[in-house]
Structure formats: structure tokens, C-alpha cells
Amino acid sequence: MNNKVYGLAILKWTVNKMMSLGGWLSLTYLIIFLFLSHFAPYVMGALILGFFLSLLINVPTNLFSKKMNSNVASVLSHLLVLGAFFYAAISFFPLVINEGKKLFSVLSTFAFPNTGEMDNLPTWILDVLDEFSKNISSFGINLINKLISVTPSLLMSTIVLIVTTIAIGSLKSLMKDNSWKLYPVNERDKGVKFLKSFYGEVEKFVHGRFLSATIVGFVIGIATYVAGIPNSLFIGIVAWIGDFIPYLGSIAAGILLAILGFTEKGLMGLIIGLLIALISNQIEMWFLYPKIQSKVLDLHWFIILISSLLFGELFGFIGVLIALPLVIYVINFWEYWVVRIK
């Protein structure tokens, strides 16, 4: 019995030397968050998106507050940011469906022209081409029908997201005032300092992404307008929203630009759309991201890319969003509770 008690005492002493109770609690909170993100992705996804949007709204709010009343600035910022998301949501599917019809129609006629030259081809090749053409049309129709079926769900999700964002924004002060309750008495000061440090770095990260995304969205919108590709405002807003997802957002914006350019202006429009996406991506990667984000995160670009892909694989879409905040949390956790240099 004495040996058992002695062994437990040694284990407790070893654990405390490795990490204090506050550290183990911080690790537990992280594990609970990851558990909920994996098994309740829709609820957690709404909360995470609402949290990010509430941080985004703070950026224009801080800017407007310098020129007007803070309450007016907050209302105006909510209208601008949430309005942009709502506009993109209600415009996305109608535009994609319309352009998708054009795209599959053009591909069917462009890829398999009915000319005399094709009559010289073997019968089996003509049958394969004909079947492939039918498959393209069938795939396009099925995809468009699927988009139509999920449109109401997207609009409802957008409304829920807006409500969640407003609710989380109003609860942030409450959570801030009660964060000390997450730690034992003797470690409350350090625990609150740890949470404030983590929140501050995430806030800086989101603010940096806001500035970077605004520049990218503005450049793409103006370039699209100058190139004569329609819906330049919509494309600029989608690029602005997509830029909050490192690397993957620029790819999505590039695909949309390529489709719109091709359906509206043919092969030249496709080339122009791809060039706009490529140039804006290079501006972000080699100028904006190193200047804005590297100073905030002090992370190598490869770590940022791998973490985004890894957490995206584990948790889906929300994994891409939480990848860098999780990296920030782990770094702060290590510095505060393990090596104890802060």
C-alpha cells in the first residue's frame, strides 16, 4: 500500500514538473474543441465562422470609429461585411447555374464538331466521342440540378451564420470577463494571460487577412472590369471572401474567373481570367502575405500550407479555417505551459 501511494506521489510530482494543472486544463480544452469539431462539424462550423466574422467586423469598426460614433461604426461595419457575404450567397448559385449551362453547352459543341472530317474516323471512335459528349451533357444537367436543390439550404445557412455572428459578437465581452473561471486560483493570472495572448494573435492574423483579402479582391474586381468580363463586383467579393482561406481560396477564385471568362469571351476570356487569377495570386504570395502575415505569425509558408491541408483532411472545410489558429494555440501552449518561457 505504501509503495502504491509512493508511486502515485512520484507520478504526481513528475506530471507537475512536466506541466502544471493549468497546462493540463489548456490541453484538455483543446482536445474537447477538436472532438466537437470532428463529431459536430455543422454546429462547430457555424460557431467558428461566426467567431471569424465577428473578428472581421472589428477591422472596419476600428477604422470607422476614428471618424464617427462607435455604435454607428459598429452598425455600418456589420452591414458592410455581412451584406457582402449575403450578396455573394444569393448571387453565387444563380450565376454558377447560368454560366454552367453555357459552359457545358459550349463544351459539347466545341469538343465534338459535326463536320465532314469526322466522318472519315472509324465508327468505334465516333461512338466513343458521341457517348462522351452525352456524358458531358448529362453530368452538367445533374450538377446544375444538384446546385438548384441546395440553394435554399445555402440561403438558410447564410441567415443562420449572420445571426450567429451577431450573437457571438455580443457575447465576446461576457466570455472575456469570465475566462478566469477556466483555471485554478493559483494559476488564474497566467491562464488569463495565455488566453489573451492567443486571442490577440488570432485577432492580428484575421486583421492581416482582412487587409490582404481586401487588396486581392479589389485588384481582381478592377482587373475583371477592365477586361470586360461581367459580374466584376461579384467576382471581387468572392475573391475577397475566398482569400481568407490560405491558398485554397485563390484557387477557387481562379476557377470561377476561368469559367466566366470562357463562357463570356471564349478562349481569350479563359486566358485573361487565368492571368488575372495568377497575377493576383503571385502578388499575394510574394508581396502581401510575407509583408502582412509573416510579421504576425512568424511561420514558414510550408508550415502554413501543410497545416491547412492536414486539418482540412481531418476536419473538412472548418479544418482549413482553424488550421492556423490551432498552430498559434499549440505554439503559445508550448511556450506558456511546457517550456514556460512566458
Side-chain angles (χ1 to χ4, degrees), residues 38-70:
H38 181 74
F39 290 101
Y42 296 106
V43 176
M44 292 301 294
L47 293 175
I48 291 168
L49 285 172
F51 173 73
F52 273 104
L53 281 177
S54 66
L55 292 180
L56 288 178
I57 291 171
N58 287 343
V59 181
T61 299
N62 294 336
L63 294 175
F64 295 152
S65 296
K66 298 177 180 179
K67 301 293 182 179
M68 61 183 70
N69 180 271
S70 59

Side-chain angles (χ1 to χ4, degrees), residues 17-321:
K17 282 295 182 180
M18 290 174 55
M19 194 161 57
S20 65
L21 178 59
W24 287 109
L25 285 173
S26 299
L27 182 60
T28 302
Y29 299 145
L30 175 62
I31 293 172
I32 293 174
F33 173 80
L34 295 176
F35 178 85
L36 293 175
S37 297
H38 181 74
F39 290 101
Y42 296 106
V43 176
M44 292 301 294
L47 293 175
I48 291 168
L49 285 172
F51 173 73
F52 273 104
L53 281 177
S54 66
L55 292 180
L56 288 178
I57 291 171
N58 287 343
V59 181
T61 299
N62 294 336
L63 294 175
F64 295 152
S65 296
K66 298 177 180 179
K67 301 293 182 179
M68 61 183 70
N69 180 271
S70 59
N71 293 327
V72 177
S74 177
V75 172
L76 182 59
S77 299
H78 277 79
L79 290 175
L80 286 176
V81 175
L82 297 180
F85 274 81
F86 188 73
Y87 168 76
I90 63 174
S91 302
F92 181 80
F93 279 114
L95 181 63
V96 170
I97 290 170
N98 183 52
E99 297 300 323
K101 291 178 180 178
K102 294 180 183 179
L103 176 63
F104 288 110
S105 175
V106 170
L107 286 177
S108 297
T109 57
F110 176 76
F112 313 109
N114 187 18
T115 63
E117 295 180 359
M118 294 193 66
D119 294 336
N120 298 325
L121 295 175
T123 304
W124 68 271
I125 294 181
L126 293 175
D127 291 339
V128 170
L129 293 178
D130 183 63
E131 184 66 24
F132 190 60
S133 177
K134 291 178 181 178
N135 288 337
I136 288 178
S137 301
S138 177
F139 173 77
I141 292 172
N142 292 335
L143 180 61
I144 290 170
N145 289 335
K146 181 66 176 179
L147 291 175
I148 293 173
S149 66
V150 301
T151 299
S153 299
L154 175 70
L155 295 178
M156 183 59 65
S157 299
T158 303
I159 294 173
V160 172
L161 175 60
I162 291 174
V163 174
T164 303
T165 302
I166 296 173
I168 290 179
S170 63
L171 289 173
K172 280 195 300 185
S173 59
L174 179 64
M175 292 185 288
K176 180 180 178 182
D177 294 337
N178 290 276
S179 61
W180 58 271
K181 296 179 181 179
L182 296 173
Y183 292 94
V185 176
N186 61 326
E187 292 189 297
R188 281 177 180 169
D189 290 341
K190 186 174 182 179
V192 171
K193 184 180 178 183
F194 164 71
L195 293 178
K196 284 185 177 180
S197 175
F198 166 68
Y199 178 83
E201 291 190 33
V202 172
E203 190 174 40
K204 289 178 182 178
F205 160 70
V206 174
H207 288 190
R209 291 305 298 176
F210 182 93
L211 177 59
S212 174
T214 301
I215 295 174
V216 170
F218 181 79
V219 169
I220 289 180
I222 293 296
T224 304
Y225 177 79
V226 172
I229 299 175
N231 302 296
S232 57
L233 175 62
F234 169 77
I235 295 175
I237 291 177
V238 169
W240 175 72
I241 296 174
D243 198 67
F244 291 109
I245 306 173
Y247 302 106
L248 301 181
S250 59
I251 295 174
I255 293 173
L256 181 61
L257 260 174
I259 293 174
L260 286 170
F262 181 68
T263 56
E264 297 296 333
K265 291 185 171 294
L267 185 59
M268 183 57 66
L270 171 64
I271 295 173
I272 293 173
L274 290 175
L275 282 175
I276 292 174
L278 178 63
I279 293 172
S280 62
N281 177 259
Q282 294 302 304
I283 291 175
E284 179 192 14
M285 181 177 296
W286 298 109
F287 178 72
L288 296 178
Y289 206 86
K291 293 292 184 181
I292 297 173
Q293 291 299 341
S294 295
K295 292 181 180 179
V296 175
L297 298 179
D298 194 26
L299 291 175
H300 194 276
W301 66 269
F302 186 72
I303 296 177
I304 296 174
L305 177 61
I306 291 299
S307 62
S308 299
L309 295 176
L310 177 61
F311 284 105
E313 182 74 18
L314 293 174
F315 299 100
F317 173 73
I318 64 172
V320 179
L321 292 177

